[in-house]
Amino acid sequence: MADALISVLLEQLASVVYQHTNQAVKLVLNAEKAVSSFSSNLKAIQAVLEDAEKKQVTDPRVEDWLEKLKDVSYEMEDVLDEWNTEILRRQVEEKQGKEGENARVTKKKVCFPMPCVCFCFGQANKVIHRNNIARRIEELNEKLTSIAAEREMYGFHQSTKGGPDDQQVIQRQKTTSLVDISKIFGREEEKDMLLSKLLRESSPEEGRFLLIPIVGMGGMGKTTLAQLAYNDEKVTNHFHKKVWVCVSSPFDEIKIARAIIESLDKNETQKSSNELETLLLCIRSHVKDKKLLLVLDDVWTENQKEWENLKLPVIMQSCAKGSRILVTTRKQGVAKMMRASSMIYLDKLSDRDCLALFNSIAFLDRKKDEDAGFGAIGEEIVKKCKGLPLAAKTLGSLVWFKKTREEWRDVLNSKIWELEEVEEQVFRPLLLSYYDLAPAVKICLLYCAIFPKDYHFKKNNLIELWMSQDYLNSKENKEKRRKGQNYFESLAMRSFFQDFDGNEMGDILGCKMHDIVHDFVQFLTKKECIIIEAAKGDNQIVELPGDKVRHLTLTSVPEGPLSFPTSCCMCRNIRTLSIFNSRITTISPGSILQMKCLRTLNLSDSVLTELPKELGELIHLRYMDLSFSKGLKELPDAVCDLFNLQTLVLVWCEKLEKLPKAMEKLINLKHLYVRYCRKLRYLPKGIGSLKSLQALDCFYVCEGDDIEALKLGDLGIMDQLQGSLRIERLGNNAKDDASEIEKAQLGNKEHLSHLEVRFQEEDEDEDEEQRKGDSEIVKALQPHQNLESLSIWCCYIGTTESLYWIRSLHNLRRVDLSSWPVCEVLPPLGKLPSLEILEIEWMGKVEKVGVEFLGIEEQVSGILFPRLERLSFQSMYNWEEWEGITKEDSSSSEITIMPLLYILEIYECPELIALPDFLYKISTLHNLTIERCPILEQDYEKGVGKEWHNISHIPNITIRPESESEPESESE
């Protein structure tokens, strides 16, 4: 909706305006008066935006007014960005001028093809175009002044979030405890889970009562599930008193307290009191020593103070043990605020249950139609619902009135957000969740309309896309990423995102949007975000539906160059161009020149072979993704003219041989992703000038001494690096590599969380003597103690003494050691306090894993591997003995080993003769896998192996010989 876009733009514009006012604007451009007036108008309009957004729902004139406001705001943003870009350009030119003739990169003047503007600063002798920056600001200020005056026509007032206006625009439906069980489909599993939580005895940890939140997106059936449980006969018999209160928003403590009293005793005289204290004492007197079930339906507030004022946890302490509070909410933040430990997350209905719900409504009193061709159409319609009960009910009601198959097909073939009934019934509840968001979070949600349906997007990638549109306003770029993470979590906790995937360390990596939510955001952005599927056999994209399109997504573009009609003027305002599931080979220069406002360009996963030099004229461009362009060999030098570029993604560009030399000109570059660029010999030296670089996913050590290559030591000044860093091809020049590693000062990279080090893979003609320098390199690594994950591959060290510094990594949660062909002893890792995952593989000379691996030195007591949850060994072909602790060790001191181990995997260890005794005592061990280990397979065979009794208590055991593809035995 408009206020999301406008509010963020106004905040951003005001910030930029003030920033530039503090510079030489008023002196050079004589724009001080216009800038001041523009800022005042912004503030006046911002005060009524919330009211304007709500009124546009019913008043098309207001919608038009907001459209004009957006146009002016976007244009002003572009003008100021051009201005800022010129400042950046001059900074780069001045720096190159100082470098003189010996500069790394040939000095070159940069000319920006700005349509109506040229700048004049200081002593520079440049021709000012007719429509210069000062005049354009003046013209835009005049437009904004007119728009600001028009607001008086609509009677806007300054509204506050959560005020009465919310109720006027969208009526919040009041719920009751009554439910028609015959109309409920599915949810058996969720109901059983809820009943179990309601009826079981409370544990000592839970105290006298348990708070149970049901969380899910709007329309998912939270209230219905609560009603089912509330009216269950066993629940009615179990509790002495039951109370149902529809809380909704705003959270009114007195109103809620009165509703509770009304339910407990309709004749209670004190329920009319306006004193919260009186009402709460009255409630306590009615529930004292009673087993109470209190349902709080549709809770929105995350305000801790409001919840505490209601004193319900205090009141529940006076109830009988086993009392329950059941809460329904769309927001996980509500559950966290209430400190609930037992949450039920309500996901979509199964396809079968969703169809049954739809059919129960669509074929009411017309069962004959179900077998007459309508049923097949109905099944396709239900697929649009994607398991959302409210959508199934709405579409079922819609087609019930339609008597012909043609009318049903019209519903099937319509975009779901074009159906008036869907807008009224399904989108209105989602609007409540949407209005509950802060404006900055709203605009981030709306931007997700650029993705095709069912698209799996990565969290970090999404945050960087938000950055590219300047949605994350912050003075510090680190704060921008943190702010983006907070926005992502806010949307996730309100169920706008789903189907999360993560890594083994519990980090969320990506997710999807429910199709109905996707339809919803498309509905809100239908003029600005367009997704077009290209016509087969035609590379020429049809003209866009108007010049209001800001974000364009193209799918299924056939192989060949991408181009727009040369006469097309609808592209001039496009800020995002994304290509999905396409096979474009390049993009035409003419198309580039039509999109001068472009800030985000995603051409990933295509068959790109080249890019035009005109790319350098996209002066606003902040994000460019060319990943998986497996035919791309080089980038045009003009890429280095993109002074605003923040993110460059080149992952899996397998044929990419080099990057442009003048990378130091990309003074705003924050994120450079070059992993899996197999033919990239090195990174250019100029990257070493980018002190503010925050993400560099892979560093390629150059073979030989190329003066154009970035050296590891050049990373020394990049203390802002964060996230993951992989260093590849170490070990060819061991002495130099060790020296460069020291200069890189990894110990100062406190924001780096994942470090992967890959030595040069073994050469058949290479002997071990040539790789003795690897130990010096390992010794020099010494990363910061904040590191959470460490991987070291293809390392030629015989002992682990050079890895001494690993003991200081108290935050290390994962370690992967792979392909250490000459290593004979495993490093002492048992005392790492945070280690959760350990994988060791391809250590061909290890014959024994002993107490040194546990970290035992002489006498020791305490817990070893205190947090280890997963342990994996693979391809240890000469490993014979896994030693635990001797009787002498255990009797002389108290030692506990791996108390939290959950998964143990042993693959391809043919000589290993037994598991250590301490493993048999680990009560948490849940999964044991043994594959292609013949001795272990025989001794631990289910039921008959001589050691089977030691592991039979483990719930899931898989023992698989090499000849078998399926598990040989599994315990129950």
Side-chain angles (χ1 to χ4, degrees):
M1 300 290 273
D3 91 312
L5 295 166
I6 297 301
S7 294
V8 174
L9 281 170
L10 294 180
E11 178 185 345
Q12 173 190 340
L13 288 170
S15 173
V16 174
V17 166
Y18 293 136
Q19 177 184 341
H20 287 286
T21 302
N22 291 334
Q23 298 182 23
V25 179
K26 54 189 178 184
L27 300 176
V28 178
L29 297 178
N30 194 28
E32 180 182 16
K33 185 176 180 180
V35 167
S36 177
S37 177
F38 194 91
S39 300
S40 298
N41 282 327
L42 291 181
K43 291 180 180 179
I45 292 172
Q46 191 172 24
V48 300
L49 268 180
E50 188 176 337
D51 188 36
E53 185 205 24
K54 291 165 184 160
K55 286 188 174 178
Q56 73 163 335
V57 174
T58 55
D59 191 340
R61 298 177 307 152
V62 175
E63 186 177 8
D64 291 340
W65 180 79
L66 288 170
E67 286 294 332
K68 290 190 290 184
L69 178 58
K70 282 193 288 185
D71 289 343
V72 171
S73 298
Y74 277 129
E75 192 173 348
M76 174 59 92
E77 185 182 25
D78 288 338
V79 169
L80 292 173
D81 202 45
E82 291 177 13
W83 180 5
N84 185 60
T85 301
E86 177 61 18
I87 295 174
L88 296 177
R89 181 188 68 81
R90 288 190 55 77
Q91 289 176 0
V92 171
E93 286 189 343
E94 289 173 4
K95 181 179 179 182
Q96 288 185 325
K98 291 177 181 178
E99 290 175 350
E101 295 181 359
N102 295 325
R104 290 188 295 270
V105 182
T106 305
K107 187 167 52 179
K108 179 181 178 183
K109 285 281 183 178
V110 183
C111 180
F112 281 81
M114 300 177 186
C116 305
V117 62
C118 190
F119 297 83
C120 180
F121 287 87
Q123 302 300 318
N125 184 18
K126 297 182 180 295
V127 178
I128 301 179
H129 290 182
R130 182 179 56 188
N131 293 323
N132 57 35
I133 289 293
R135 183 171 303 175
R136 290 169 70 185
I137 291 177
E138 185 68 49
E139 291 172 354
L140 290 171
N141 182 51
E142 291 175 3
K143 288 183 182 180
L144 190 63
T145 300
S146 175
I147 292 170
E150 287 180 20
R151 76 184 190 278
E152 304 297 337
M153 298 167 51
Y154 307 111
F156 298 137
H157 59 84
Q158 299 184 22
S159 55
T160 57
K161 185 173 181 178
D165 291 350
D166 287 339
Q167 309 297 331
Q168 294 171 11
V169 177
I170 301 177
Q171 291 296 323
R172 295 178 185 265
Q173 182 180 0
K174 293 295 181 182
T175 64
T176 70
S177 63
L178 303 178
V179 64
D180 185 350
I181 298 178
S182 66
K183 295 182 178 179
I184 305 302
F185 296 87
R187 300 302 188 206
E188 290 86 1
E189 184 178 338
E190 292 88 346
K191 180 185 175 183
D192 290 344
M193 183 190 306
L194 178 55
L195 289 178
S196 172
K197 292 178 182 292
L198 291 174
L199 300 176
R200 66 175 171 80
E201 291 297 321
S202 298
S203 66
E205 294 78 17
E206 292 167 349
R208 300 192 67 80
F209 77 98
L210 180 64
L211 194 152
I212 308 167
I214 303 174
V215 182
M217 65 179 285
M220 195 58 80
K222 301 179 296 296
T223 297
T224 301
L225 179 60
Q227 290 167 332
L228 282 173
Y230 189 90
N231 290 284
D232 187 88
E233 185 177 355
K234 288 180 287 186
V235 170
T236 301
N237 294 332
H238 183 76
F239 292 96
H240 301 135
K241 290 182 179 291
K242 297 191 303 179
V243 175
W244 182 286
V245 178
C246 180
V247 177
S248 197
S249 181
F251 190 89
D252 187 328
E253 297 95 325
I254 290 179
K255 185 177 177 181
I256 295 169
R258 285 175 175 171
I260 294 174
I261 295 172
E262 175 74 17
S263 180
L264 290 168
D265 185 355
K266 290 183 171 57
N267 299 317
E268 174 60 62
T269 57
Q270 290 186 326
K271 67 183 180 183
S272 58
S273 173
N274 289 320
E275 292 296 327
L276 183 60
E277 175 74 7
T278 301
L279 295 172
L280 297 178
L281 290 175
C282 179
I283 294 173
R284 187 166 69 175
S285 68
H286 280 282
V287 300
K288 184 173 174 46
D289 297 327
K290 306 290 185 183
K291 190 175 292 186
L292 172 68
L293 172 60
L294 173 60
V295 178
L296 301 177
D297 187 44
D298 196 28
V299 179
W300 288 77
T301 186
E302 295 177 82
N303 188 316
Q304 184 76 40
K305 187 175 181 181
E306 289 181 339
W307 173 245
E308 290 176 350
N309 286 343
L310 197 55
K311 304 294 184 185
L312 287 181
V314 176
I315 292 173
M316 295 297 286
Q317 293 296 336
S318 65
C319 296
K321 190 175 181 180
S323 295
R324 299 288 188 261
I325 298 178
L326 179 60
V327 176
T328 71
T329 180
R330 305 181 186 195
K331 302 157 72 174
Q332 292 183 35
V334 171
K336 287 189 175 182
M337 179 270 293
M338 294 179 173
R339 296 185 173 87
S341 60
S342 181
M343 184 177 73
I344 296 176
Y345 185 82
L346 211 56
D347 207 346
K348 57 189 177 183
L349 279 178
S350 68
D351 293 341
R352 178 176 57 84
D353 292 330
C354 198
L355 180 61
L357 176 58
F358 172 86
N359 288 344
S360 71
I361 300 170
F363 296 110
L364 182 66
D365 298 328
R366 49 185 296 189
K367 288 293 182 183
K368 292 181 180 179
D369 290 341
E370 188 171 356
D371 299 324
F374 288 86
I377 303 173
E379 289 179 12
E380 295 301 313
I381 292 174
V382 168
K383 290 179 181 178
K384 289 190 168 194
C385 301
K386 293 293 181 177
L388 186 65
L390 180 58
K393 291 166 67 175
T394 301
L395 291 177
S397 299
L398 170 62
V399 299
W400 185 82
F401 291 99
K402 300 185 182 297
K403 304 305 180 186
T404 68
R405 283 183 287 273
E406 183 178 357
E407 289 176 307
W408 278 49
R409 290 193 189 96
D410 287 341
V411 173
L412 173 62
N413 296 324
S414 298
K415 289 184 178 178
I416 194 167
W417 46 266
E418 290 177 347
L419 301 171
E420 184 177 345
E421 290 81 0
V422 172
E423 180 185 342
E424 289 291 325
Q425 299 298 322
V426 180
F427 289 171
R428 290 298 173 112
L430 289 176
L431 277 172
L432 291 173
S433 294
Y434 174 77
Y435 283 147
D436 190 61
L437 298 171
V441 183
K442 287 179 184 176
I443 196 170
C444 290
L445 171 65
L446 296 180
Y447 191 74
C448 296
I450 69 169
F451 299 116
K453 270 189 179 180
D454 206 39
Y455 180 77
H456 182 275
F457 45 82
K458 297 178 181 177
K459 182 180 75 169
N460 286 336
N461 175 243
L462 181 61
I463 291 171
E464 287 164 2
L465 288 170
W466 290 340
M467 286 183 188
S468 72
Q469 298 295 319
D470 287 334
Y471 294 160
L472 308 178
N473 288 308
S474 174
K475 294 179 181 178
E476 297 289 336
N477 279 286
K478 282 190 298 183
E479 292 179 10
K480 284 187 178 182
R481 184 169 291 278
R482 190 176 300 116
K483 183 177 286 189
Q485 290 171 344
N486 291 339
Y487 290 176
F488 181 92
E489 291 171 4
S490 179
L491 293 170
M493 293 178 70
R494 286 166 170 78
S495 303
F496 284 110
F497 296 152
Q498 65 173 28
D499 294 344
F500 298 95
D501 74 295
N503 59 22
E504 292 176 316
M505 295 165 64
D507 304 315
I508 293 178
L509 301 180
C511 60
K512 294 181 180 180
M513 295 182 78
H514 190 283
D515 279 7
I516 298 295
V517 177
H518 187 274
D519 290 327
F520 173 68
V521 295
Q522 279 199 316
F523 165 72
L524 297 180
T525 60
K526 52 191 172 186
K527 289 185 179 179
E528 295 203 4
C529 295
I530 302 294
I531 297 178
I532 297 177
E533 184 173 359
K536 292 184 178 179
D538 185 4
N539 287 334
Q540 205 72 342
I541 307 300
V542 295
E543 290 195 13
L544 302 179
D547 61 356
K548 302 296 184 185
V549 177
R550 309 285 178 180
H551 309 288
L552 174 63
T553 296
L554 304 176
T555 66
S556 304
V557 181
E559 189 163 351
L562 174 66
S563 61
F564 296 94
T566 55
S567 60
C568 178
C569 62
M570 304 300 184
C571 302
R572 64 188 180 191
N573 292 322
I574 290 178
R575 291 173 159 238
T576 300
L577 175 62
S578 298
I579 311 293
F580 293 98
N581 191 30
S582 299
R583 295 185 58 80
I584 66 169
T585 55
T586 187
I587 183 168
S588 70
S591 297
I592 290 289
L593 295 174
Q594 292 179 66
M595 296 184 289
K596 290 294 186 67
C597 295
L598 204 63
R599 290 169 178 251
T600 303
L601 178 62
N602 178 8
L603 303 177
S604 63
D605 210 11
S606 296
V607 290
L608 284 175
T609 56
E610 62 177 345
L611 290 169
K613 66 180 186 300
E614 284 76 11
L615 205 63
E617 300 189 15
L618 298 176
I619 65 170
H620 301 289
L621 196 66
R622 285 154 164 76
Y623 179 99
M624 183 161 60
D625 186 352
L626 307 173
S627 59
F628 292 90
S629 299
K630 297 184 179 180
L632 190 64
K633 293 184 177 181
E634 62 180 2
L635 303 181
D637 291 339
V639 165
C640 297
D641 295 337
L642 301 173
F643 300 140
N644 285 304
L645 192 66
Q646 299 171 353
T647 302
L648 178 59
V649 187
L650 300 168
V651 176
W652 280 110
C653 291
E654 292 181 307
K655 292 187 178 180
L656 188 67
E657 298 174 353
K658 61 178 181 178
L659 296 178
K661 293 182 179 180
M663 294 282 283
E664 69 269 19
K665 292 164 62 178
L666 299 177
I667 57 178
N668 267 316
L669 191 66
K670 303 295 188 297
H671 319 112
L672 176 60
Y673 301 109
V674 291
R675 190 171 290 195
Y676 307 119
C677 296
R678 307 296 192 192
K679 291 195 174 183
L680 193 61
R681 287 186 55 235
Y682 57 79
L683 302 178
K685 190 75 173 176
I687 293 176
S689 302
L690 306 179
K691 296 182 181 180
S692 58
L693 195 67
Q694 295 176 1
L696 177 63
D697 67 335
C698 190
F699 184 98
Y700 296 99
V701 177
C702 179
E703 296 183 31
D705 189 19
D706 195 316
I707 61 171
E708 299 291 346
L710 183 71
K711 292 186 178 297
L712 268 171
D714 294 327
L715 300 182
I717 64 170
M718 298 183 187
D719 289 342
Q720 301 305 312
L721 283 180
Q722 55 187 261
S724 300
L725 171 64
R726 173 190 284 187
I727 302 174
E728 288 203 5
R729 303 171 191 163
L730 274 169
N732 282 316
N733 304 297
K735 185 176 180 181
D736 290 343
D737 287 351
S739 173
E740 290 296 324
I741 282 282
E742 288 182 1
K743 294 176 185 176
Q745 300 183 52
L746 296 178
N748 292 340
K749 312 279 188 286
E750 60 180 306
H751 307 294
L752 206 61
S753 53
H754 308 285
L755 176 63
E756 183 175 346
V757 179
R758 287 181 174 252
F759 287 80
Q760 187 72 28
E761 292 188 19
E762 181 181 3
D763 192 323
E764 291 183 2
D765 298 326
E766 188 175 33
D767 59 40
E768 295 177 13
E769 291 294 324
Q770 292 177 278
R771 293 292 296 271
K772 283 188 174 180
D774 286 8
S775 61
E776 294 301 314
I777 296 174
V778 171
K779 187 184 297 184
L781 288 172
Q782 301 187 36
H784 193 277
Q785 63 180 12
N786 287 347
L787 197 72
E788 295 186 10
S789 173
L790 174 68
S791 298
I792 303 179
W793 291 62
C794 304
C795 181
Y796 276 70
I797 57 175
T799 66
T800 58
E801 294 176 0
S802 56
L803 203 62
Y804 68 92
W805 43 260
I806 199 170
R807 301 180 186 182
S808 66
L809 302 182
H810 299 305
N811 295 297
L812 200 60
R813 298 171 59 198
R814 175 169 186 150
V815 173
D816 294 87
L817 305 177
S818 178
S819 300
W820 292 28
V822 299
C823 183
E824 299 178 356
V825 181
L826 296 186
L829 303 176
K831 292 184 180 179
L832 292 177
S834 302
L835 188 63
E836 299 171 9
I837 301 171
L838 175 58
E839 295 191 359
I840 298 174
E841 59 185 21
W842 293 100
M843 293 197 172
K845 288 200 173 183
V846 171
E847 297 179 1
K848 177 181 177 180
V849 174
V851 293
E852 74 288 337
F853 173 59
L854 299 174
I856 295 177
E857 300 170 354
E858 298 180 354
Q859 284 210 344
V860 67
S861 62
I863 303 176
L864 304 174
F865 290 104
R867 294 192 181 179
L868 191 67
E869 297 177 7
R870 177 179 174 181
L871 176 60
S872 177
F873 293 101
Q874 181 170 345
S875 303
M876 309 274 283
Y877 293 107
N878 292 303
W879 181 23
E880 299 177 0
E881 182 180 359
W882 187 355
E883 182 183 43
I885 52 176
T886 64
K887 291 182 178 180
E888 291 76 15
D889 291 329
S890 59
S891 61
S892 62
S893 58
E894 291 295 327
I895 300 175
T896 303
I897 304 175
M898 304 181 190
L900 301 180
L901 189 66
Y902 189 81
I903 298 174
L904 174 61
E905 300 166 320
I906 305 175
Y907 303 98
E908 294 184 297
C909 300
E911 303 299 323
L912 185 60
I913 59 175
L915 301 179
D917 292 345
F918 70 81
L919 285 175
Y920 306 150
K921 303 174 185 178
I922 300 175
S923 61
T924 58
L925 187 56
H926 192 270
N927 296 334
L928 172 62
T929 301
I930 299 173
E931 291 190 11
R932 299 184 294 281
C933 305
I935 301 175
L936 296 184
E937 289 163 12
Q938 180 177 345
D939 289 351
Y940 292 93
E941 184 178 356
K942 182 178 180 180
V944 298
K946 66 179 183 179
E947 300 291 346
W948 168 253
H949 66 282
N950 284 319
I951 65 169
S952 59
H953 63 283
I954 300 172
N956 297 305
I957 301 175
T958 300
I959 298 179
R960 185 180 303 166
E962 188 171 6
S963 59
E964 294 189 8
S965 58
E966 295 298 326
E968 181 184 73
S969 63
E970 289 188 10
S971 70
E972 297 179 351

